[in-house]
Amino acid sequence: MIGIKGIASYVPVAGVDNYAQGAKFDKDEEFILGKIGSAFLPRKDDGQETSDLCVEAANALFANNPGLKRESVDVLIVVTQNGDEEGLPHTAAIVQDKLGLPTTVAAFDISLGCSGYVYGIYAIKGFMEAAGLKNGLLITADPYSKIVDPEDRNTTMLFGDAATATWMGEDAPWHLGKAKFGTDGSGAPHLKVSDGVFFMNGRQVFNFALIKVPAHLHELLADSDLQASDIDAFCIHQGSAAIVDAVARRFEGEPEKFIKDMVETGNTVSSSIPLLLEKHVLDSDWKRVALSGFGVGLSWGSAIIYRP
Amino acid sequence: MIGIKGIASYVPVAGVDNYAQGAKFDKDEEFILGKIGSAFLPRKDDGQETSDLCVEAANALFANNPGLKRESVDVLIVVTQNGDEEGLPHTAAIVQDKLGLPTTVAAFDISLGCSGYVYGIYAIKGFMEAAGLKNGLLITADPYSKIVDPEDRNTTMLFGDAATATWMGEDAPWHLGKAKFGTDGSGAPHLKVSDGVFFMNGRQVFNFALIKVPAHLHELLADSDLQASDIDAFCIHQGSAAIVDAVARRFEGEPEKFIKDMVETGNTVSSSIPLLLEKHVLDSDWKRVALSGFGVGLSWGSAIIYRP
């Protein structure tokens, strides 16, 4: 059974001091840390393309996992909505070349935002099992610095650039359990790009997440015959400190199990959940962890991963 | 086992007389029919978005298959590189809303070009099996009229707009057999969009396909312990009449088994193979059909589908 074998990441060293940025918009440190959740927002160099972030994360994965050889990779999926080119070609093809992966690799992009990692792990696992493939790379890289207007107070204090790479394969320490998904395209206008600039209706998105995510996690637990007490940690998309705190409070179960770690990264879109898994989960003694991603689409997905 | 239960399509009635267009570039009817392969190129209305083409194809699928209910659809994948919006949101979310599908649907886009259908059937089957889903819609819609320059003689005589919808589910008459995939991002510059306009190096792409596709099909047959004589028909991407003919000739096996049907459609990108399947394969008495898609990326994929 295909599962999660390892995760690595790339977070640019350069970035924006979010306290200084907040001051520009008359936001104090309490707001920046308590509501936004991020003192620092990593930013890629102007010269770095999305594929370059992917390559950095994948190279970190290769460095950390000597058992993973470039020549044994047979599938590469990039989750992004801000790829290198204007629609085509797909970023995964460019990453195949830059990483020096064999030309026998199956490569494509999945277009999803903050829910993308939860969908992505099932998409790559399923594709591998359906096509008989053995070693997959699931890469997330959605640099919102390409589209966020630095003068837009609703978005410029939120997003950070990052990329992650997840090794999927056999004999994995973490397996995928049940998952549930959802889509409501009637909310598409709340998060979109027009004329190259990102727009977010923050209030609508906050309310959507607050109503949807706790209920969705409860349904997933019920479908899995599990209680909140059976879950060691909840790793939900780090949209902002406010939304993570609010979802945790609405989740009557055990709110202290909701991991919050975005002070140095910001909202990294589809990279937020794998960043949590890399840092807090993969090397832990935990047995069972719940994930939930939510955002642009509107789209959401929740899943349970576990040690077999 | 998840397989192909039905296919429907939408081909715009309006379009371009390709003989008249050819005359503009001093190309005679023999060239248009013999090399390009298409007397007519369907074109969407300016007011139609990519999601509208998806909706037309999906509604045709619902109309043809009373057993497929909107409320029972639990996954929707759109294969496109020319979606509605600028990167985000994904077109699948918009299609979910326009089709009135339940909000419990898992929806995302896959970014691939002419190889997209072969990847797409394994991606949706795998995702459904990994996530325990029952009824999927795989939609292809990549209207190149959005990006093709009508003054570019290398591309404007080739592409037609179309969309297809494939119902994937249990108890299907056609199952997916072995598949093989490939990617060579070093060839990405041969097919790309810059400043909103599509560029193709036709000679490079033709040579790539002529070298890659026959060999790839041979490898797939060998991996499947099959001979060309075991295959009832070959449905390869209808890039142009010249490439279909050339691949068929290079395939020493049985070139007459290569279906060519693009006179009224042109090169419809990821819709070309499902258009062939809908028209020639699904209701046939054939038992085993080989597919091969190839193009932007560069990317290619070959597969065998069969009646169980």
Side-chain angles (χ1 to χ4, degrees), chain A residues 81 85-90 93 96-97 103-112 119 122-123 126-127 130-131 144 147 181-186 188 191-196 296-297 300, chain B residues 81 85-90 93 96-97 103-112 119 122-123 126-127 130-131 144 147 181-186 188 191-196 296-297 300:
Chain A
Q81 294 184 320
E85 302 287 348
E86 300 167 47
L88 66 99
H90 41 297
Q96 176 273 334
D97 184 45
T103 57
T104 48
V105 76
F108 58 90
D109 297 354
I110 287 179
S111 171
L112 277 173
Y119 283 76
Y122 288 84
F127 186 82
Y144 267 39
I147 51 171
F181 301 95
T183 306
D184 182 2
S186 73
L191 286 157
K192 66 175 292 187
V193 171
S194 297
D195 296 329
V296 58
W300 57 98
Chain B
Q81 294 183 320
E85 301 287 347
E86 301 167 45
L88 66 100
H90 40 297
Q96 175 274 333
D97 184 44
T103 58
T104 48
V105 76
F108 58 92
D109 296 356
I110 286 179
S111 171
L112 277 173
Y119 281 77
Y122 289 84
F127 186 81
Y144 266 40
I147 53 171
F181 301 95
T183 306
D184 183 2
S186 73
L191 287 156
K192 66 175 293 187
V193 172
S194 296
D195 297 328
V296 59
W300 57 97

Coordinates of all heavy atoms in Angstrom, one line a residue, chain A residues 81 85-90 93 96-97 103-112 119 122-123 126-127 130-131 144 147 181-186 188 191-196 296-297 300, chain B residues 81 85-90 93 96-97 103-112 119 122-123 126-127 130-131 144 147 181-186 188 191-196 296-297 300:
Chain A
Q81 N -1.4 26.7 -8.5 CA -2.2 27.5 -9.3 C -1.4 28.8 -9.8 O -2.0 29.7 -10.3 CB -3.5 27.9 -8.6 CG -4.4 26.7 -8.3 CD -5.7 27.1 -7.7 OE1 -5.8 27.9 -6.8 NE2 -6.8 26.4 -8.1
E85 N 4.5 29.0 -16.3 CA 4.2 29.5 -17.6 C 2.7 29.9 -17.6 O 2.0 29.7 -16.7 CB 4.4 28.4 -18.7 CG 5.8 28.0 -18.8 CD 6.8 29.0 -19.4 OE1 6.3 30.0 -20.0 OE2 8.0 28.8 -19.3
E86 N 2.3 30.5 -18.7 CA 0.9 30.9 -18.9 C 0.0 29.8 -19.3 O -0.3 29.6 -20.5 CB 0.8 32.0 -20.0 CG 1.7 33.2 -19.6 CD 1.8 34.1 -20.9 OE1 0.8 34.4 -21.5 OE2 2.9 34.6 -21.2
G87 N -0.3 28.9 -18.4 CA -1.2 27.8 -18.7 C -0.5 26.6 -19.2 O -0.7 25.5 -18.7
L88 N 0.3 26.8 -20.2 CA 1.0 25.6 -20.7 C 2.4 26.0 -21.1 O 2.7 27.1 -21.6 CB 0.2 25.0 -21.9 CG 0.0 25.8 -23.2 CD1 1.0 25.3 -24.2 CD2 -1.4 25.6 -23.7
P89 N 3.4 25.1 -21.0 CA 3.2 23.7 -20.4 C 3.0 23.7 -18.9 O 3.2 24.7 -18.3 CB 4.6 23.0 -20.8 CG 5.6 24.2 -20.7 CD 4.8 25.3 -21.3
H90 N 2.7 22.5 -18.4 CA 2.6 22.3 -17.0 C 3.9 22.4 -16.3 O 5.0 22.1 -16.9 CB 1.9 21.0 -16.7 CG 2.4 19.8 -17.6 ND1 2.2 19.8 -18.9 CD2 3.0 18.7 -17.3 CE1 2.7 18.7 -19.4 NE2 3.2 18.0 -18.4
A93 N 6.4 19.3 -15.9 CA 7.3 18.9 -17.0 C 8.7 19.7 -16.8 O 9.7 19.1 -17.0 CB 6.7 19.2 -18.3
Q96 N 10.6 18.1 -14.0 CA 11.2 16.8 -14.5 C 12.6 17.1 -15.1 O 13.6 16.4 -14.7 CB 10.3 16.1 -15.5 CG 10.9 14.9 -16.1 CD 11.8 15.1 -17.3 OE1 11.6 16.1 -18.0 NE2 12.7 14.2 -17.5
D97 N 12.6 18.1 -15.9 CA 13.9 18.4 -16.6 C 14.9 19.0 -15.6 O 16.1 18.6 -15.6 CB 13.6 19.4 -17.7 CG 14.8 19.7 -18.6 OD1 15.6 18.8 -18.9 OD2 15.1 20.9 -18.9
T103 N 13.0 10.3 -18.2 CA 11.9 10.7 -19.1 C 10.8 9.6 -19.1 O 9.7 9.9 -19.7 CB 12.3 10.9 -20.6 OG1 12.9 9.6 -21.0 CG2 13.3 12.0 -20.7
T104 N 10.9 8.6 -18.3 CA 9.8 7.6 -18.1 C 8.9 8.1 -17.0 O 7.9 7.4 -16.7 CB 10.4 6.2 -17.7 OG1 11.4 6.4 -16.7 CG2 11.0 5.6 -18.9
V105 N 9.1 9.3 -16.5 CA 8.2 9.7 -15.4 C 6.9 10.2 -15.9 O 6.8 10.8 -17.0 CB 9.0 10.8 -14.5 CG1 9.0 12.2 -15.3 CG2 8.4 11.0 -13.2
A106 N 5.8 9.9 -15.2 CA 4.5 10.5 -15.5 C 4.4 11.8 -14.7 O 4.6 11.8 -13.5 CB 3.4 9.5 -15.0
A107 N 4.2 12.9 -15.4 CA 4.2 14.2 -14.7 C 3.0 15.0 -15.1 O 2.7 15.2 -16.3 CB 5.5 14.9 -15.0
F108 N 2.3 15.6 -14.1 CA 1.3 16.6 -14.4 C 1.1 17.5 -13.2 O 1.6 17.2 -12.1 CB 0.0 15.9 -14.8 CG -0.6 14.9 -13.8 CD1 -1.5 15.3 -12.9 CD2 -0.3 13.6 -13.9 CE1 -2.1 14.4 -12.0 CE2 -0.9 12.6 -13.0 CZ -1.8 13.1 -12.0
D109 N 0.4 18.6 -13.4 CA 0.0 19.5 -12.3 C -1.4 19.3 -11.9 O -2.3 18.9 -12.7 CB 0.1 21.0 -12.8 CG 1.5 21.4 -13.2 OD1 2.4 20.6 -13.0 OD2 1.6 22.6 -13.7
I110 N -1.7 19.5 -10.6 CA -3.0 19.6 -10.1 C -3.3 21.0 -9.7 O -2.5 21.6 -9.0 CB -3.2 18.6 -8.9 CG1 -3.3 17.2 -9.4 CG2 -4.5 19.0 -8.1 CD1 -3.4 16.2 -8.3
S111 N -4.4 21.6 -10.2 CA -4.8 22.9 -9.9 C -5.7 22.9 -8.7 O -6.9 22.6 -8.9 CB -5.5 23.6 -11.1 OG -6.0 24.8 -10.7
L112 N -5.2 23.2 -7.6 CA -6.0 23.4 -6.4 C -5.2 24.4 -5.5 O -3.9 24.5 -5.6 CB -6.1 22.1 -5.6 CG -7.3 21.2 -6.0 CD1 -7.2 19.8 -5.3 CD2 -8.6 21.8 -5.8
Y119 N -6.1 16.6 -1.2 CA -6.4 16.0 -2.5 C -5.2 15.3 -3.1 O -5.3 14.2 -3.7 CB -7.0 17.0 -3.5 CG -8.4 17.5 -3.3 CD1 -8.7 18.3 -2.3 CD2 -9.4 17.0 -4.1 CE1 -10.0 18.8 -2.1 CE2 -10.7 17.5 -4.0 CZ -11.0 18.3 -3.0 OH -12.3 18.8 -2.8
Y122 N -4.1 11.7 -2.1 CA -5.0 10.6 -2.6 C -4.8 10.5 -4.1 O -4.9 9.4 -4.7 CB -6.4 10.9 -2.2 CG -6.6 10.6 -0.7 CD1 -6.3 11.5 0.3 CD2 -6.9 9.3 -0.2 CE1 -6.4 11.3 1.6 CE2 -7.0 9.0 1.1 CZ -6.7 10.0 2.0 OH -6.8 9.8 3.4
A123 N -4.6 11.6 -4.8 CA -4.5 11.6 -6.2 C -3.2 10.9 -6.6 O -3.2 10.0 -7.5 CB -4.4 13.1 -6.8
G126 N -3.5 7.1 -5.6 CA -4.4 6.4 -6.5 C -3.8 6.2 -7.9 O -3.9 5.2 -8.5
F127 N -3.2 7.3 -8.4 CA -2.6 7.2 -9.8 C -1.5 6.1 -9.8 O -1.4 5.3 -10.7 CB -2.0 8.5 -10.2 CG -1.5 8.6 -11.6 CD1 -2.3 8.8 -12.6 CD2 -0.1 8.4 -11.8 CE1 -1.8 8.8 -14.0 CE2 0.4 8.4 -13.1 CZ -0.5 8.6 -14.2
A130 N -3.2 2.7 -9.6 CA -3.9 2.4 -10.9 C -2.9 2.1 -12.0 O -3.2 1.3 -12.9 CB -4.8 3.5 -11.2
A131 N -1.8 2.7 -12.0 CA -0.8 2.6 -13.1 C 0.4 1.7 -12.7 O 1.3 1.5 -13.5 CB -0.3 3.9 -13.6
Y144 N 2.3 32.9 -3.7 CA 1.3 34.0 -3.9 C 2.0 35.4 -4.0 O 1.3 36.3 -4.4 CB 0.3 34.0 -2.7 CG -0.9 33.2 -3.0 CD1 -0.9 31.9 -3.7 CD2 -2.2 33.6 -2.5 CE1 -2.0 31.2 -3.9 CE2 -3.3 32.9 -2.8 CZ -3.2 31.7 -3.5 OH -4.4 30.9 -3.7
I147 N 1.1 37.1 -7.2 CA -0.2 37.7 -7.4 C -0.8 38.6 -6.4 O -1.7 39.4 -6.6 CB -1.3 36.6 -7.7 CG1 -1.3 35.6 -6.5 CG2 -1.0 35.9 -9.0 CD1 -2.4 34.5 -6.6
F181 N -14.2 14.9 0.8 CA -13.9 16.1 0.0 C -15.1 17.0 -0.2 O -16.3 16.5 0.0 CB -13.3 15.7 -1.3 CG -12.1 14.9 -1.2 CD1 -12.1 13.5 -1.2 CD2 -10.8 15.5 -1.0 CE1 -11.0 12.7 -1.0 CE2 -9.7 14.7 -0.8 CZ -9.7 13.3 -0.9
G182 N -14.9 18.2 -0.7 CA -16.1 19.0 -1.0 C -15.7 20.2 -1.8 O -14.6 20.6 -1.9
T183 N -16.7 20.7 -2.6 CA -16.5 21.8 -3.5 C -17.8 22.6 -3.6 O -18.9 22.0 -3.7 CB -16.2 21.2 -4.9 OG1 -15.1 20.3 -4.9 CG2 -15.9 22.4 -5.9
D184 N -17.6 23.9 -3.6 CA -18.8 24.8 -3.7 C -18.4 26.0 -4.6 O -17.9 27.0 -4.2 CB -19.3 25.3 -2.4 CG -20.5 26.2 -2.6 OD1 -21.0 26.4 -3.7 OD2 -21.0 26.7 -1.6
G185 N -18.5 25.7 -5.9 CA -18.1 26.7 -6.9 C -18.9 28.0 -6.9 O -18.5 29.0 -7.4
S186 N -20.0 28.0 -6.1 CA -20.8 29.3 -6.0 C -20.0 30.3 -5.2 O -20.2 31.5 -5.3 CB -22.1 29.0 -5.4 OG -22.0 28.8 -4.0
A188 N -16.7 30.7 -5.7 CA -15.5 30.9 -6.4 C -15.1 32.4 -6.4 O -13.9 32.8 -6.3 CB -15.6 30.4 -7.9
L191 N -12.4 34.1 -3.8 CA -10.9 33.9 -3.9 C -10.6 33.8 -5.4 O -10.8 32.7 -5.9 CB -10.5 32.7 -3.2 CG -10.5 32.6 -1.6 CD1 -10.6 31.2 -1.2 CD2 -9.2 33.3 -1.1
K192 N -10.1 34.8 -6.0 CA -9.8 34.7 -7.4 C -8.7 35.7 -7.9 O -8.4 36.7 -7.2 CB -11.0 34.8 -8.3 CG -11.7 36.2 -8.2 CD -12.9 36.2 -9.2 CE -12.5 36.1 -10.6 NZ -13.6 36.3 -11.6
V193 N -8.2 35.5 -9.1 CA -7.2 36.4 -9.7 C -7.9 37.1 -10.8 O -8.6 36.4 -11.7 CB -6.0 35.6 -10.2 CG1 -5.1 36.6 -11.0 CG2 -5.2 35.1 -9.0
S194 N -7.8 38.4 -10.9 CA -8.3 39.2 -12.0 C -7.2 40.1 -12.5 O -6.7 40.8 -11.6 CB -9.6 40.0 -11.6 OG -10.6 39.1 -11.3
D195 N -7.0 40.2 -13.7 CA -5.9 41.0 -14.3 C -4.6 40.9 -13.5 O -3.9 41.8 -13.2 CB -6.4 42.5 -14.3 CG -7.5 42.7 -15.2 OD1 -7.7 42.0 -16.2 OD2 -8.4 43.6 -14.8
G196 N -4.3 39.6 -13.1 CA -3.0 39.3 -12.5 C -3.0 39.6 -11.0 O -1.9 39.4 -10.4
V296 N -9.5 28.2 -1.9 CA -10.0 28.6 -3.2 C -10.8 27.5 -3.9 O -10.4 26.4 -3.8 CB -8.7 29.1 -4.0 CG1 -7.7 28.0 -4.1 CG2 -9.1 29.6 -5.4
G297 N -11.9 28.0 -4.5 CA -12.7 27.0 -5.2 C -14.2 27.4 -5.2 O -14.8 27.6 -6.2
W300 N -12.6 22.0 -0.2 CA -12.1 21.5 1.1 C -11.9 20.0 1.0 O -12.5 19.3 0.2 CB -13.0 21.9 2.3 CG -14.5 21.4 2.1 CD1 -15.0 20.3 2.7 CD2 -15.5 22.0 1.4 NE1 -16.4 20.2 2.4 CE2 -16.7 21.3 1.6 CE3 -15.6 23.2 0.6 CZ2 -17.9 21.6 1.0 CZ3 -16.8 23.5 0.0 CH2 -18.0 22.7 0.2
Chain B
Q81 N -5.7 23.2 -20.0 CA -4.6 24.2 -19.8 C -5.1 25.6 -20.2 O -4.3 26.5 -20.3 CB -3.3 23.8 -20.5 CG -2.7 22.5 -19.9 CD -1.4 22.1 -20.5 OE1 -1.2 22.2 -21.7 NE2 -0.5 21.6 -19.7
E85 N -10.4 31.0 -15.5 CA -9.8 32.1 -14.8 C -8.3 32.1 -14.9 O -7.7 31.2 -15.5 CB -10.2 32.0 -13.3 CG -11.7 31.9 -13.1 CD -12.4 33.3 -13.3 OE1 -11.6 34.3 -13.4 OE2 -13.6 33.3 -13.3
E86 N -7.7 33.1 -14.4 CA -6.2 33.3 -14.5 C -5.6 32.5 -13.4 O -5.2 33.0 -12.3 CB -5.9 34.7 -14.3 CG -6.5 35.7 -15.3 CD -6.3 37.1 -14.9 OE1 -5.3 37.5 -14.5 OE2 -7.3 37.9 -15.0
G87 N -5.5 31.2 -13.6 CA -4.8 30.3 -12.6 C -5.7 29.8 -11.5 O -5.8 28.7 -11.2
L88 N -6.5 30.8 -10.9 CA -7.3 30.4 -9.8 C -8.6 31.2 -9.8 O -8.6 32.4 -10.1 CB -6.6 30.4 -8.4 CG -6.2 31.8 -7.9 CD1 -7.2 32.3 -6.8 CD2 -4.8 31.6 -7.3
P89 N -9.8 30.6 -9.4 CA -9.9 29.2 -9.0 C -9.8 28.2 -10.2 O -9.8 28.6 -11.3 CB -11.3 29.1 -8.4 CG -12.1 30.2 -9.2 CD -11.1 31.3 -9.4
H90 N -9.8 26.9 -9.9 CA -9.8 25.9 -10.8 C -11.2 25.8 -11.5 O -12.2 26.1 -11.0 CB -9.4 24.5 -10.2 CG -10.1 24.3 -8.9 ND1 -9.8 25.1 -7.7 CD2 -10.9 23.3 -8.4 CE1 -10.5 24.6 -6.7 NE2 -11.2 23.6 -7.1
A93 N -14.2 23.7 -10.1 CA -15.1 24.2 -9.1 C -16.3 25.0 -9.8 O -17.4 24.9 -9.3 CB -14.4 25.2 -8.2
Q96 N -18.7 22.5 -11.2 CA -19.5 21.9 -10.1 C -20.8 22.8 -9.9 O -21.9 22.2 -9.8 CB -18.7 21.8 -8.8 CG -19.5 21.3 -7.6 CD -20.2 22.5 -6.8 OE1 -19.8 23.6 -6.9 NE2 -21.3 22.1 -6.2
D97 N -20.6 24.1 -9.8 CA -21.7 25.0 -9.6 C -22.6 25.0 -10.8 O -23.8 24.9 -10.6 CB -21.1 26.4 -9.2 CG -22.2 27.3 -8.9 OD1 -23.1 27.0 -8.1 OD2 -22.1 28.5 -9.3
T103 N -22.3 19.5 -3.2 CA -21.1 20.1 -2.7 C -20.2 19.1 -2.0 O -19.1 19.4 -1.6 CB -21.4 21.3 -1.7 OG1 -22.2 20.7 -0.6 CG2 -22.1 22.4 -2.4
T104 N -20.7 17.9 -2.0 CA -19.8 16.8 -1.5 C -18.8 16.3 -2.6 O -18.1 15.3 -2.3 CB -20.6 15.6 -1.0 OG1 -21.6 15.3 -2.0 CG2 -21.3 15.9 0.3
V105 N -18.8 16.9 -3.8 CA -18.0 16.4 -4.8 C -16.5 16.8 -4.6 O -16.3 17.9 -4.2 CB -18.5 16.9 -6.2 CG1 -18.2 18.3 -6.5 CG2 -18.0 16.0 -7.4
A106 N -15.6 15.9 -4.9 CA -14.2 16.3 -5.0 C -13.9 16.8 -6.4 O -14.2 16.1 -7.3 CB -13.3 15.0 -4.7
A107 N -13.4 18.0 -6.5 CA -13.2 18.6 -7.8 C -11.8 19.2 -8.0 O -11.4 20.0 -7.1 CB -14.3 19.6 -8.1
F108 N -11.2 18.9 -9.0 CA -9.9 19.6 -9.3 C -9.6 19.5 -10.8 O -10.2 18.8 -11.5 CB -8.7 19.1 -8.5 CG -8.4 17.6 -8.6 CD1 -7.5 17.2 -9.6 CD2 -9.0 16.7 -7.8 CE1 -7.2 15.8 -9.7 CE2 -8.7 15.3 -7.9 CZ -7.8 14.9 -8.8
D109 N -8.7 20.4 -11.3 CA -8.2 20.4 -12.6 C -6.9 19.6 -12.7 O -6.1 19.7 -11.8 CB -7.9 21.8 -13.1 CG -9.2 22.6 -13.2 OD1 -10.3 22.1 -12.9 OD2 -9.0 23.8 -13.5
I110 N -6.7 19.0 -13.8 CA -5.3 18.4 -14.2 C -4.8 19.2 -15.3 O -5.5 19.4 -16.3 CB -5.4 16.9 -14.5 CG1 -5.7 16.1 -13.3 CG2 -4.2 16.5 -15.3 CD1 -5.8 14.6 -13.5
S111 N -3.6 19.7 -15.2 CA -3.0 20.5 -16.3 C -2.1 19.6 -17.1 O -1.0 19.2 -16.8 CB -2.1 21.6 -15.7 OG -1.3 22.2 -16.7
L112 N -2.7 19.3 -18.3 CA -2.0 18.5 -19.3 C -2.6 18.9 -20.7 O -3.8 19.3 -20.7 CB -2.1 17.0 -19.1 CG -1.2 16.3 -18.1 CD1 -1.6 14.9 -17.9 CD2 0.3 16.4 -18.6
Y119 N -3.6 10.1 -19.2 CA -3.3 10.3 -17.8 C -4.6 10.4 -17.0 O -4.7 9.9 -15.9 CB -2.5 11.6 -17.6 CG -1.1 11.6 -17.9 CD1 -0.6 11.6 -19.2 CD2 -0.1 11.5 -16.9 CE1 0.8 11.5 -19.5 CE2 1.3 11.5 -17.2 CZ 1.7 11.5 -18.5 OH 3.0 11.5 -18.8
Y122 N -6.5 7.3 -15.7 CA -5.8 6.6 -14.5 C -5.9 7.5 -13.3 O -6.0 7.0 -12.2 CB -4.4 6.2 -14.9 CG -4.4 5.1 -15.9 CD1 -4.6 5.3 -17.3 CD2 -4.3 3.7 -15.5 CE1 -4.6 4.3 -18.2 CE2 -4.4 2.7 -16.4 CZ -4.6 3.0 -17.7 OH -4.7 1.9 -18.6
A123 N -5.8 8.8 -13.5 CA -5.9 9.7 -12.3 C -7.2 9.6 -11.6 O -7.3 9.5 -10.4 CB -5.6 11.1 -12.7
G126 N -7.8 6.1 -10.1 CA -6.9 5.9 -8.9 C -7.5 6.7 -7.8 O -7.5 6.2 -6.6
F127 N -7.8 8.0 -8.0 CA -8.4 8.8 -7.0 C -9.6 8.2 -6.4 O -9.8 8.2 -5.1 CB -8.6 10.2 -7.5 CG -9.0 11.2 -6.5 CD1 -8.1 11.8 -5.7 CD2 -10.4 11.5 -6.3 CE1 -8.5 12.8 -4.7 CE2 -10.8 12.5 -5.3 CZ -9.8 13.1 -4.5
A130 N -8.7 5.2 -4.3 CA -8.0 5.5 -3.1 C -8.9 6.2 -2.1 O -8.7 6.1 -0.9 CB -6.8 6.5 -3.4
A131 N -9.9 6.9 -2.5 CA -10.8 7.7 -1.6 C -12.1 7.0 -1.5 O -13.0 7.5 -0.8 CB -10.9 9.1 -2.2
Y144 N -8.3 25.9 -27.8 CA -7.1 26.6 -28.2 C -7.5 27.8 -29.0 O -6.6 28.6 -29.3 CB -6.2 25.6 -29.1 CG -5.2 24.9 -28.3 CD1 -5.4 24.4 -27.0 CD2 -3.9 24.7 -28.8 CE1 -4.4 23.8 -26.2 CE2 -2.9 24.1 -28.0 CZ -3.2 23.6 -26.8 OH -2.2 23.0 -26.1
I147 N -6.0 30.9 -27.6 CA -4.6 31.3 -27.6 C -4.0 31.2 -29.0 O -2.8 31.7 -29.1 CB -3.8 30.3 -26.6 CG1 -4.1 28.8 -26.9 CG2 -4.1 30.7 -25.2 CD1 -3.2 27.9 -26.2
F181 N 3.8 5.9 -19.2 CA 3.8 7.4 -19.3 C 5.2 7.9 -19.6 O 6.2 7.2 -19.4 CB 3.2 8.0 -18.0 CG 1.9 7.5 -17.7 CD1 1.6 6.5 -16.9 CD2 0.8 8.1 -18.3 CE1 0.3 6.0 -16.6 CE2 -0.5 7.7 -18.1 CZ -0.7 6.6 -17.2
G182 N 5.3 9.2 -20.0 CA 6.6 9.8 -20.2 C 6.6 11.3 -20.2 O 5.5 11.9 -20.5
T183 N 7.7 11.9 -19.9 CA 7.8 13.4 -19.8 C 9.2 13.8 -20.1 O 10.2 13.2 -19.7 CB 7.5 13.9 -18.4 OG1 6.2 13.3 -17.9 CG2 7.5 15.4 -18.3
D184 N 9.3 14.8 -21.0 CA 10.6 15.4 -21.3 C 10.5 16.9 -21.3 O 10.2 17.5 -22.4 CB 11.1 14.8 -22.6 CG 12.5 15.3 -22.9 OD1 13.1 16.1 -22.1 OD2 13.1 15.0 -24.0
G185 N 10.7 17.5 -20.2 CA 10.6 18.9 -20.0 C 11.6 19.7 -20.8 O 11.4 20.9 -21.0
S186 N 12.7 19.0 -21.3 CA 13.6 19.7 -22.1 C 13.0 20.2 -23.4 O 13.5 21.1 -24.1 CB 14.9 18.9 -22.4 OG 14.6 17.9 -23.3
A188 N 9.9 21.4 -23.5 CA 8.9 22.4 -23.1 C 8.8 23.6 -24.1 O 7.7 24.0 -24.4 CB 9.0 22.8 -21.7
L191 N 6.3 23.9 -27.4 CA 4.9 24.1 -27.3 C 4.6 24.9 -26.1 O 4.6 24.4 -24.9 CB 4.1 22.7 -27.1 CG 4.0 21.8 -28.3 CD1 3.8 20.4 -27.8 CD2 2.9 22.2 -29.2
K192 N 4.3 26.2 -26.2 CA 4.1 27.0 -25.1 C 3.3 28.3 -25.4 O 3.2 28.6 -26.6 CB 5.4 27.3 -24.4 CG 6.4 28.2 -25.2 CD 7.6 28.6 -24.3 CE 7.2 29.5 -23.2 NZ 8.4 30.0 -22.4
V193 N 2.8 28.9 -24.3 CA 2.2 30.2 -24.5 C 3.1 31.3 -24.0 O 3.6 31.2 -22.9 CB 0.8 30.2 -23.7 CG1 0.2 31.6 -23.7 CG2 -0.2 29.2 -24.4
S194 N 3.2 32.4 -24.7 CA 3.9 33.5 -24.3 C 3.1 34.8 -24.6 O 2.6 34.9 -25.7 CB 5.3 33.7 -25.0 OG 6.1 32.6 -24.7
D195 N 2.9 35.6 -23.6 CA 2.1 36.8 -23.8 C 0.8 36.5 -24.4 O 0.3 37.2 -25.3 CB 2.9 37.9 -24.7 CG 4.2 38.3 -24.0 OD1 4.2 38.4 -22.8 OD2 5.1 38.6 -24.7
G196 N 0.2 35.4 -23.9 CA -1.1 35.0 -24.3 C -1.3 34.3 -25.7 O -2.4 34.0 -26.1
V296 N 2.2 18.7 -25.6 CA 2.8 19.7 -24.7 C 3.4 19.2 -23.4 O 2.8 18.3 -22.8 CB 1.7 20.8 -24.4 CG1 0.5 20.3 -23.7 CG2 2.3 22.0 -23.6
G297 N 4.6 19.6 -23.1 CA 5.3 19.1 -21.9 C 6.8 19.1 -22.1 O 7.5 19.8 -21.4
W300 N 3.8 12.3 -22.8 CA 3.1 11.2 -23.6 C 2.6 10.1 -22.6 O 3.1 10.0 -21.5 CB 4.0 10.6 -24.7 CG 5.3 10.1 -24.2 CD1 5.6 8.7 -23.9 CD2 6.5 10.8 -23.9 NE1 6.9 8.6 -23.5 CE2 7.5 9.8 -23.5 CE3 6.9 12.1 -24.0 CZ2 8.8 10.2 -23.1 CZ3 8.2 12.5 -23.6 CH2 9.1 11.5 -23.2

